[in-house]
């Protein structure tokens, strides 16, 4: 028994060392923030990402309402105008990194930021820009950066088409923005998920390649819901951080939508036979 004691102790030490190493390991592409807690409304917070992907980081915030964001490559400055929890996201191609922050219900006021949140008439906090990226000024031969446009002042129109394959059917959902954006090849950034018969679509922004000067055209995105079971299904659509909720019912090959709030999202047609 005494002869086995030393190997066991050595093995235990190795495992402990590996565990400690794992706990303290860090992702070189992770997002860093100047602060994540106790952020005040209107306080400028700088976010950075140590980007080894070889692609320019594209920044966004969820939810995106009441937020101002300016970015320059791997650095972004965000102003939050409302208290709550937010995720700040850096997308580098297929690599997506995020960090969560909390904003408290108090205003950021000092001698430099005498803005309307502090009771002063002049607002020094940047307004929410339509284009949340900036032109590259670091070299003379660089072209413009890719741009990301928010949907805060846009409207999403959903066109619904039924697809049938024998006794199984589904839906094709085509989303079209009401506004037009630069570049014929722009992209309506779309998220999609479904769980237990509930369907969720998220439209966060429009991406425009920096080198593209064609257009302007409306941005579109298409998602297929297939197959769909008979019965009632919850149907949610999120536009720039605000979620709108309705439902649809499938009976055989017939679909009937209930959509109570068409202020930012419309669905057509509501009935498909």
């Amino acid at each position: 028994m005494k002869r086995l004691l030393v190997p066991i102790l050595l093995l235990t030490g190795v495992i402990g060392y590996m565990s400690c190493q794992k706990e303290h390991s860090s992702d070189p592409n992770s997002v860093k923030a100047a602060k994540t807690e106790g952020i005040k409304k209107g306080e400028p917070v700088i976010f950075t990402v140590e980007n080894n992907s070889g692609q320019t980081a594209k920044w966004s915030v969820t939810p995106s309402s009441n937020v101002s964001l300016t970015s320059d490559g791997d650095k972004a400055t965000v102003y939050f105008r409302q208290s709550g929890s937010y995720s700040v996201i850096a997308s580098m191609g297929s690599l997506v990194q995020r960090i969560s922050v909390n904003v408290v219900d108090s205003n950021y006021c000092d001698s430099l930021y005498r803005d309307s949140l502090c009771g002063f008439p002049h607002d020094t906090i940047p307004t929410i820009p339509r284009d949340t990226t900036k032109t590259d000024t670091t070299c003379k031969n660089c072209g413009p950066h890719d741009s990301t446009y928010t949907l805060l002042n846009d409207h999403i129109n959903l066109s619904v088409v039924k697809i049938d394959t024998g006794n199984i059917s589904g839906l094709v959902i085509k989303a079209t923005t009401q506004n037009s954006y630069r570049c014929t090849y722009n992209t309506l950034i779309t998220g999609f998920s479904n769980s237990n018969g509930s369907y969720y679509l998220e439209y966060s922004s429009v991406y425009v390649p920096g080198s593209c000067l064609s257009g302007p055209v409306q941005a579109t995105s298409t998602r297929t819901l297939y197959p769909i079971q008979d019965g009632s299904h919850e149907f949610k659509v999120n536009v720039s951080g605000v979620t709108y909720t309705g439902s649809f019912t499938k009976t055989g090959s017939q679909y009937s939508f209930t959509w109570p709030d068409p202020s930012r999202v419309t669905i057509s047609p509501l009935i498909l036979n």
Side-chain angles (χ1 to χ4, degrees):
M1 293 298 292
K2 292 183 178 180
R3 293 180 180 178
L4 294 176
L5 181 59
V6 173
I8 290 175
L9 289 174
L10 288 174
L11 180 59
T12 303
V14 171
I15 292 174
Y17 174 79
M18 292 177 65
S19 299
C20 291
Q21 288 294 97
K22 185 175 182 180
E23 286 179 5
H24 292 86
S25 65
S26 60
D27 187 340
N29 296 286
S30 61
V31 176
K32 306 294 191 303
K35 61 189 304 186
T36 59
E37 299 289 339
I39 299 170
K40 296 181 179 181
K41 293 184 293 184
E43 179 179 1
V45 182
I46 296 175
F47 296 84
T48 58
V49 61
E50 189 176 337
N51 183 3
N52 298 327
S53 69
Q55 301 189 47
T56 302
K58 299 177 181 63
W59 294 88
S60 60
V61 182
T62 301
S64 59
S65 56
N66 298 301
V67 171
S68 295
L69 183 153
T70 58
S71 64
D72 187 5
D74 299 334
K75 176 181 176 181
T77 303
V78 181
Y79 300 80
F80 304 92
R81 287 183 172 272
Q82 185 171 316
S83 60
S85 298
Y86 297 83
S87 291
V88 178
I89 304 164
S91 301
M92 298 150 286
S94 60
L95 179 64
V96 178
Q97 297 289 345
R98 67 185 67 216
I99 190 171
S100 297
V101 300
N102 289 308
V103 180
V104 298
D105 194 19
S106 59
N107 300 322
Y108 182 70
C109 306
D110 62 21
S111 59
L112 296 178
Y113 290 89
R114 296 186 169 221
D115 52 69
S116 57
L117 288 174
C118 307
F120 294 88
H122 180 62
D123 195 346
T124 59
I125 298 177
T127 57
I128 298 174
R130 190 157 185 263
D131 183 351
T132 60
T133 59
K134 298 193 299 184
T135 304
D136 192 337
T137 58
T138 58
C139 65
K140 295 181 179 180
N141 297 323
C142 293
H145 278 161
D146 298 346
S147 300
T148 303
Y149 295 86
T150 69
L151 299 173
L152 291 175
N153 298 313
D154 209 335
H155 184 101
I156 299 295
N157 298 298
L158 298 181
S159 176
V160 186
V161 177
K162 182 177 63 175
I163 52 175
D164 289 301
T165 305
N167 295 324
I168 304 174
S169 70
L171 297 171
V172 175
I173 309 290
K174 181 179 180 181
T176 304
T177 61
Q178 183 171 291
N179 296 339
S180 295
Y181 298 86
R182 178 174 60 84
C183 185
T184 306
Y185 307 104
N186 63 46
T187 302
L188 177 58
I189 305 301
T190 305
F192 170 74
S193 65
N194 67 290
S195 177
N196 298 323
S198 296
Y199 296 88
Y200 175 85
L201 288 164
E202 179 179 7
Y203 302 101
S204 59
S205 56
V206 175
Y207 165 72
V208 176
S211 60
C212 182
L213 300 176
S214 61
V217 298
Q218 293 168 300
T220 63
S221 172
T222 302
R223 288 294 183 274
T224 300
L225 285 55
Y226 183 90
I228 298 176
Q229 303 298 322
D230 279 7
S232 180
H233 302 270
E234 186 178 52
F235 187 71
K236 293 183 177 183
V237 180
N238 183 295
V239 181
S240 289
V242 180
T243 300
Y244 303 87
T245 303
S247 63
F248 68 87
T249 301
K250 176 181 181 291
T251 306
S253 60
Q254 184 186 65
Y255 293 84
S256 178
F257 279 85
T258 299
W259 194 250
D261 186 359
S263 60
R264 295 285 305 283
V265 179
T266 54
I267 300 176
S268 178
L270 292 174
I271 297 177
L272 295 92
N273 294 309

